[in-house]
Amino acid sequence: MALTMNPALNQQMAQLEREYEQRKANIMQSFYNQPQGGSWGQQSAPTPTQNVDWIRVSGIDGAKNQIVQPGQTAWMMDNNDPYFYVKSADNVGSCTFRIFQFAEVQEVVPEKPEQPQIDLSQYVQRGEFEQLKALIEQFTNAQEKQPIKANKEVVSNGESVNGNDGKQTGAGRTSGARGK
């Protein structure tokens, strides 16, 4: 930088020189931080999704013979049958081919689960239950009112006082040892 005799002009030129160096550094930094492929000042917009462009074909042979560019997918609809085909080529050019069938789907209404049938003939009716309940209550009440009678014939060792130890004797029963 050439110095002049005017100090104000020298100061202004030094200021411009600093601004120039700062702008140059900013431009270089933005250049090196730019993604590869260069597009200065442009932002990449997201690619919009497109609807499928259907290609009409006649039969499976027409679909198989359809040319697909590498990295692309072709959607083909059969003109004669309820099928559609998808043929894809990877970046190398190797193709995959798939066949799908159109079928109408009826709207399904969810069914209520069927309740199991209960055989009511195996159960007691309410009236019969109430009668049985009343009988049980009567029996229970009668048992509670009745005093407990002690068996006077049984002694503590299990033998009876009158010699009857619980075996029946008499005309209806014969003993094997006593005989006729």
Side-chain angles (χ1 to χ4, degrees), residues 68-73 88-93:
V68 179
Q69 297 297 323
Q72 300 293 318
T73 299
S88 300
D90 61 10
N91 290 332
V92 180

Side-chain angles (χ1 to χ4, degrees), residues 75-76 81-86 97-103:
W75 293 77
M76 299 164 276
D81 294 312
Y83 299 116
F84 68 94
Y85 313 100
V86 179
F97 184 77
R98 297 184 298 174
I99 304 171
F100 298 92
Q101 183 173 15
F102 286 111

Side-chain angles (χ1 to χ4, degrees), residues 31 44 72 80-81 92 125 154 176:
F31 176 77
S44 61
Q72 300 293 318
N80 304 321
D81 294 312
V92 180
Q125 292 184 358
V154 177

Side-chain angles (χ1 to χ4, degrees), residues 86-161:
V86 179
K87 187 174 182 181
S88 300
D90 61 10
N91 290 332
V92 180
S94 178
C95 291
T96 58
F97 184 77
R98 297 184 298 174
I99 304 171
F100 298 92
Q101 183 173 15
F102 286 111
E104 182 179 1
V105 177
Q106 298 293 327
E107 184 176 353
V108 178
V109 178
E111 296 181 17
K112 294 180 181 176
E114 189 173 314
Q115 295 292 331
Q117 296 295 325
I118 299 172
D119 183 15
L120 296 178
S121 66
Q122 301 296 319
Y123 292 92
V124 176
Q125 292 184 358
R126 185 61 143 176
E128 293 173 346
F129 173 75
E130 293 297 331
Q131 288 176 352
L132 181 62
K133 182 178 166 186
L135 284 174
I136 291 172
E137 286 176 357
Q138 279 180 347
F139 180 72
T140 305
N141 290 339
Q143 289 291 329
E144 289 174 358
K145 290 179 184 177
Q146 203 173 40
I148 300 174
K149 296 180 183 178
N151 191 351
K152 296 179 183 179
E153 295 182 0
V154 177
V155 183
S156 66
N157 62 4
E159 295 179 10
S160 66
V161 176

